[in-house]
């Protein structure tokens, strides 16, 4: 792993170096293809001016709110569906249908239903997290197997205790791997919503930079988006790995 | 009063099961796959719906949910909680009962030491061997001091030596604790080794109940005999003690040497796969060798079922394919039949 890490870093540094070098050769106008150093300078300038932190805070809040609402509710519904056959039969087809709709496709509809307020990106992020989390939780809880539930019942568990002490922990690896993927999707959906319909946030920053032909700023915003995306992914991945190692599934 | 009684229990897999299990008894439910054995356990535990009635100590429990029935259940999959350590697995039932922490600790400790797995308490189930997992599942079921212990083929995934060890451990554990126990298996030798009494299940019904010996020598149906390997039971009219541990049983025209330790010999049995056939009468080991006629040959992979008339008896021999080729048997042939003494079983007066 360590050796691979070194190789990865070298390849990233080489790509960045090539970017800087090619941009400085001036084959394409620097304005359309600025070198890395110029992008980083724009980033620093946007941070120092307070513009980036202000918009970033808005995006972060929307992502965190929409994502936590969507995944919490998704996990709850998934567990209920796993435990009750009836709930499973009624909910599953609906969730499968919702799952088929890309989250950003809700934007036009929600613009009319919710308006252009803070509710809009939160709702879009919610629609991006909810169906997949129902699905992951359901899959995970069902993988626990009927016997586990039966044993828990004979040992004295009531319905709620079966869900909290058996189904939820058993579904946790699936839930975490779902969260890992969906956290990235949440950032993407939020960014697009802000580009299309919002007057604040990273998406808006990118659109504004575009309107004044500041490619360096666009790229700076994109870098921030990618980093945030990666950070969320990394957090859930760490949780997943440590949990699976503890239970003896990995390592 | 029986500890457990089933009256006319029916559902998707059971067809009118009546059964009485005595207090403190280890009853083995023996039957082929798909006979409804697991469903029977689930009915007793209250985990599946059914018609009819289940009674514990004479009182119906049909409206009592599983968690209040006092059941220790070990399913075939064991169903250990993989997200809990061994300690937490065993403590689970006690914690749900809201017992004070020091009592939980004391009882978990006791259960772990009863099964000799104290040293595993901090491990997770996936890090345990098959036998260790088995013990954890048993400890978890026993620690709640159940009225009834339900074991569903608990040793089916283990190798033979470990199986034997765990069987004898279970036997002594059960007689020490005196918990009424139902043990499901499709393996007749397991039934013989463990059971106080055996209930044979076929096609969703309990069709015969008794000690292993009773059923072995008096199977009520051909399926029961097939299941127990007791297709060859010969009625005997007399016997003669030959020496210490050896007697000669007189069964029709046959004089059969049998292992003997007292009592009047009434029946002799030999499992069909232990019957030895040969073309010539062996000079070295002539005893228990009889001349018979091949009546019928039927392929039954990987063996052949060979029916042989032997005086007034009809004997079944299971012969492996290769052996069959060497013998070149055909229906109507004369053949020598040897009943190896170490595989001969006898029924004596007083044991039935």
């Amino acid at each position: 792993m360590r050796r691979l890490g070194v190789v990865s870093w070298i390849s990233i540094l080489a790509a960045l170096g090539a970017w800087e070098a090619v941009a400085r050769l001036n084959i394409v106008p620097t304005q359309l293809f600025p070198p890395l150093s110029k992008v980083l300078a724009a980033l620093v300038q946007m941070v120092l001016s307070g513009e980036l932190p202000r918009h970033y805070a808005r995006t972060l809040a929307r992502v965190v709110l929409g994502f936590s609402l969507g995944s919490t509710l998704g996990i709850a519904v998934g567990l209920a569906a796993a435990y009750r056959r009836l709930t499973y039969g009624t909910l599953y087809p609906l969730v499968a249908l919702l799952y088929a709709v890309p989250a950003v496709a809700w934007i036009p509809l929600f613009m009319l239903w919710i308006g252009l307020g803070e509710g809009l990106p939160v709702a879009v992020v919610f629609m991006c997290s909810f169906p997949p989390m129902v699905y992951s939780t359901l899959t995970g809880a069902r993988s626990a197997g009927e016997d586990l539930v039966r044993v828990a019942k004979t040992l004295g568990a009531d319905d709620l205790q079966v869900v909290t002490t058996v189904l939820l922990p058993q579904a946790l690896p699936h839930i975490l791997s779902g969260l890992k993927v969906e956290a990235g999707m949440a950032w993407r959906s939020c960014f697009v919503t802000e580009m299309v319909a919002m007057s604040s946030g990273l998406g808006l920053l990118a659109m504004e930079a575009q309107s004044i032909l500041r490619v360096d700023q666009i790229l700076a915003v994109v870098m921030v988006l990618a980093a945030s995306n990666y950070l969320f992914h990394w957090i859930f991945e760490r949780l997943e790995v440590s949990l699976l190692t503890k239970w003896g599934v990995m390592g | 009063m029986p500890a457990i009684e089933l009256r006319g229990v029916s559902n998707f897999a059971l067809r009118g099961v009546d059964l009485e299990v005595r207090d403190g008894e280890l009853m083995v439910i023996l039957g082929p796959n798909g006979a409804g054995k697991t469903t029977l356990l689930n009915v007793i535990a209250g985990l599946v719906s059914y018609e009819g009635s289940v009674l514990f100590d004479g009182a119906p429990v049909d409206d009592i949910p599983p968690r209040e029935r006092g059941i220790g259940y070990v399913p075939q999959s064991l169903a250990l909680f993989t997200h809990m350590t061994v300690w937490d697995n065993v403590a689970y039932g006690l914690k749900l009962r809201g017992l004070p922490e020091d009592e939980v600790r004391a009882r978990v400790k006791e259960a772990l030491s009863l099964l000799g797995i104290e040293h595993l308490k901090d491990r997770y189930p996936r890090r345990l061997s098959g036998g260790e997992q088995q013990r954890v599942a048993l400890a978890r079921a026993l620690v709640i001091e159940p009225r009834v212990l339900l074991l569903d083929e608990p040793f089916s995934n283990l190798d033979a030596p470990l199986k034997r060890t765990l069987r004898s451990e279970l036997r002594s554990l059960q007689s020490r604790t005196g918990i009424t126990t139902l043990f499901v298996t499709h393996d007749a030798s397991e039934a013989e080794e463990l059971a106080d009494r055996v209930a044979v299940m076929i096609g969703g019904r309990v069709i015969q109940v008794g000690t292993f010996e009773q059923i072995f020598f008096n199977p009520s149906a051909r399926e029961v005999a097939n299941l127990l390997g007791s297709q060859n039971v010969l009625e005997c009219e007399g016997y003669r003690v030959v020496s210490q541990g050896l007697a000669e049983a007189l069964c029709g025209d046959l004089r059969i040497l049998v292992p003997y330790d007292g009592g009047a010999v009434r029946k002799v049995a030999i499992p069909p796969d232990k019957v030895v056939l040969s073309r010539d009468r062996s000079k070295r080991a002539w005893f228990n060798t009889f001349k018979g006629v091949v009546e019928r040959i039927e392929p039954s992979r990987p063996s052949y079922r060979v029916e042989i008339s032997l005086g007034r008896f009809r004997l079944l021999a299971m012969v492996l394919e290769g052996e069959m080729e060497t013998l070149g048997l055909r229906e109507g042939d004369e053949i020598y039949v040897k009943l190896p003494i170490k595989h001969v079983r006898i029924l004596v007066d007083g044991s039935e």
Side-chain angles (χ1 to χ4, degrees):
Chain A
M1 279 310 278
R2 199 181 175 81
R3 187 176 280 267
L4 192 71
V6 171
V7 173
S8 307
W9 280 114
I10 291 174
S11 83
I12 290 171
L13 288 176
L16 293 178
W19 172 5
E20 182 75 23
V22 170
R24 280 179 185 280
L25 286 176
N26 239 337
I27 304 165
V28 194
T30 326
Q31 208 175 17
L32 289 182
F33 190 63
L36 175 61
S37 52
K38 210 171 160 232
V39 173
L40 291 176
L43 180 62
V44 170
Q45 181 261 318
M46 285 167 85
V47 171
L48 291 180
S49 73
E51 194 187 13
L52 184 63
R54 189 158 46 84
H55 287 284
Y56 186 77
R58 303 297 284 271
T59 304
L60 181 68
R62 290 161 186 161
V63 168
V64 169
L65 189 62
F67 183 58
S68 25
L69 282 177
S71 41
T72 312
L73 202 66
I75 291 167
V77 170
L79 288 174
Y83 189 70
R84 290 266 174 234
R85 222 169 269 277
L86 181 67
T87 325
Y88 178 79
T90 46
L91 271 179
Y92 189 76
L94 291 177
V95 171
L97 270 177
L98 283 182
Y99 201 178
V101 182
V104 290
W106 294 106
I107 296 175
L109 184 66
F110 285 179
M111 281 169 78
L112 296 178
W113 281 0
I114 302 173
L116 299 180
E118 285 302 315
L120 178 63
V122 173
V124 173
V125 173
F126 177 92
M127 285 314 290
C128 156
S129 324
F130 175 73
M133 285 320 296
V134 174
Y135 189 78
S136 302
T137 309
L138 196 53
T139 314
R142 301 208 120 210
S143 75
E146 191 71 10
D147 277 347
L148 237 52
V149 173
R150 289 183 166 163
V151 165
K153 281 183 181 171
T154 61
L155 288 171
D158 59 31
D159 289 359
L160 186 63
Q161 285 165 331
V162 167
V163 171
T164 55
T165 63
V166 178
L167 290 184
L168 177 60
Q170 285 290 320
L172 212 49
H174 274 87
I175 291 176
L176 284 174
S177 85
L179 288 174
K180 188 173 70 180
V181 177
E182 298 315 326
M185 291 307 296
W187 279 97
R188 279 167 238 189
S189 316
C190 190
F191 189 80
V192 173
T193 313
E194 289 166 351
M195 279 169 54
V196 176
M198 298 303 290
S199 55
S200 59
L202 287 183
L204 174 87
L205 265 188
M207 291 308 281
E208 278 183 352
Q210 187 250 1
S211 69
I212 53 170
L213 297 178
R214 289 290 301 269
V215 176
D216 53 344
Q217 285 190 2
I218 297 177
L219 286 173
V221 169
V222 168
M223 283 168 88
V224 170
L225 179 69
S228 309
N229 207 327
Y230 183 77
L231 179 71
F232 270 52
H233 181 95
W234 182 83
I235 290 171
F236 289 115
E237 187 170 68
R238 292 314 305 163
L239 279 173
E240 190 187 13
V241 168
S242 69
L243 186 80
L244 295 184
T245 312
K246 186 175 124 188
W247 292 357
V249 182
M250 276 170 64
Chain B
M1 192 183 285
I4 308 171
E5 196 179 342
L6 276 72
R7 286 188 193 152
V9 170
S10 297
N11 64 7
F12 56 91
L14 303 177
R15 297 192 288 158
V17 170
D18 294 303
L19 184 66
E20 287 185 4
V21 187
R22 294 173 192 149
D23 192 23
E25 176 175 46
L26 198 169
M27 175 171 267
V28 170
I29 310 292
L30 178 66
N33 289 332
K37 307 186 295 290
T38 300
T39 306
L40 185 77
L41 295 191
N42 281 321
V43 163
I44 293 170
L47 292 165
V48 293
S49 58
Y50 55 88
E51 286 158 34
S53 193
V54 177
L55 300 91
F56 286 5
D57 298 324
V61 294
D62 304 313
D63 297 326
I64 298 177
R67 65 173 187 277
E68 287 161 26
R69 287 196 184 189
I71 301 285
Y73 181 37
V74 179
Q76 188 170 3
S77 66
L78 302 183
L80 293 178
F81 302 127
T82 48
H83 58 285
M84 298 181 195
T85 59
V86 168
W87 179 279
D88 290 334
N89 263 279
V90 177
Y92 183 81
L94 300 176
K95 284 182 183 161
L96 288 180
R97 282 167 172 67
L99 296 179
E101 196 155 324
D102 42 343
E103 193 186 338
V104 171
R105 206 173 306 129
R107 279 172 66 175
V108 171
K109 213 158 175 238
E110 192 190 336
L112 291 177
S113 75
L114 188 68
L115 285 138
I117 49 171
E118 266 179 306
H119 59 292
L120 303 174
K121 65 183 169 65
D122 296 324
R123 296 239 212 126
Y124 282 87
R126 277 188 235 265
R127 300 256 191 246
L128 303 177
S129 71
E132 288 166 346
Q133 293 186 0
Q134 201 58 254
R135 290 187 164 93
V136 175
L138 264 174
R140 182 180 61 180
L142 285 169
V143 75
I144 59 168
E145 293 176 355
R147 296 159 81 183
V148 180
L149 189 59
L150 304 177
L151 309 174
D152 191 354
E153 310 221 15
F155 306 145
S156 59
N157 298 321
L158 305 176
D159 55 47
L162 187 58
K163 226 183 238 186
R164 274 196 295 277
T165 314
L166 282 168
R167 270 184 210 166
S168 69
E169 275 181 27
L170 173 67
R171 188 65 260 207
S172 73
L173 198 68
Q174 198 272 338
S175 50
R176 260 185 295 155
T177 54
I179 299 174
T180 307
T181 302
L182 274 89
F183 184 107
V184 158
T185 184
H186 62 268
D187 178 352
S189 69
E190 205 154 58
E192 181 177 13
E193 202 171 312
L194 282 172
D196 291 321
R197 289 192 307 152
V198 177
V200 179
M201 275 191 86
I202 287 168
R205 289 196 174 90
V206 170
I207 61 171
Q208 195 171 6
V209 180
T211 65
F212 185 84
E213 194 168 62
Q214 281 168 355
I215 300 177
F216 187 89
F217 284 99
N218 272 314
S220 65
R222 188 214 273 260
E223 292 94 330
V224 178
N226 288 341
L227 201 59
L228 272 69
S230 65
Q231 296 93 329
N232 298 322
V233 175
L234 316 179
E235 303 271 346
C236 304
E237 293 76 39
Y239 72 102
R240 183 170 68 83
V241 178
V242 176
S243 67
Q244 181 78 38
L246 197 66
E248 190 181 57
L250 312 170
C251 320
D253 309 330
L254 311 178
R255 292 161 176 271
I256 305 171
L257 284 171
V258 298
Y260 182 75
D261 65 347
V265 178
R266 302 246 332 273
K267 291 180 182 179
V268 167
I270 177 93
D273 56 334
K274 305 297 187 215
V275 174
V276 179
L277 303 183
S278 59
R279 281 290 186 185
D280 307 303
R281 192 178 184 121
S282 164
K283 288 195 180 63
R284 278 187 299 123
W286 52 268
F287 59 86
N288 281 3
T289 304
F290 311 100
K291 197 188 234 180
V293 177
V294 176
E295 297 287 343
R296 237 181 108 162
I297 299 174
E298 230 176 77
S300 161
R301 286 183 171 278
S303 311
Y304 283 86
R305 293 170 55 93
V306 180
E307 286 178 38
I308 301 151
S309 61
L310 211 61
R312 70 166 194 227
F313 300 113
R314 204 164 228 235
L315 208 67
L316 176 67
M318 297 300 287
V319 184
L320 289 171
E321 272 175 36
E323 209 179 322
M324 199 66 187
E325 272 171 40
T326 325
L327 286 167
L329 276 192
R330 257 188 254 145
E331 288 174 8
D333 283 2
E334 285 201 332
I335 189 82
Y336 287 100
V337 179
K338 183 175 167 67
L339 313 179
I341 192 162
K342 66 173 173 183
H343 296 304
V344 171
R345 313 168 54 115
I346 60 165
L347 177 72
V348 295
D349 251 349
S351 65
E352 193 180 353

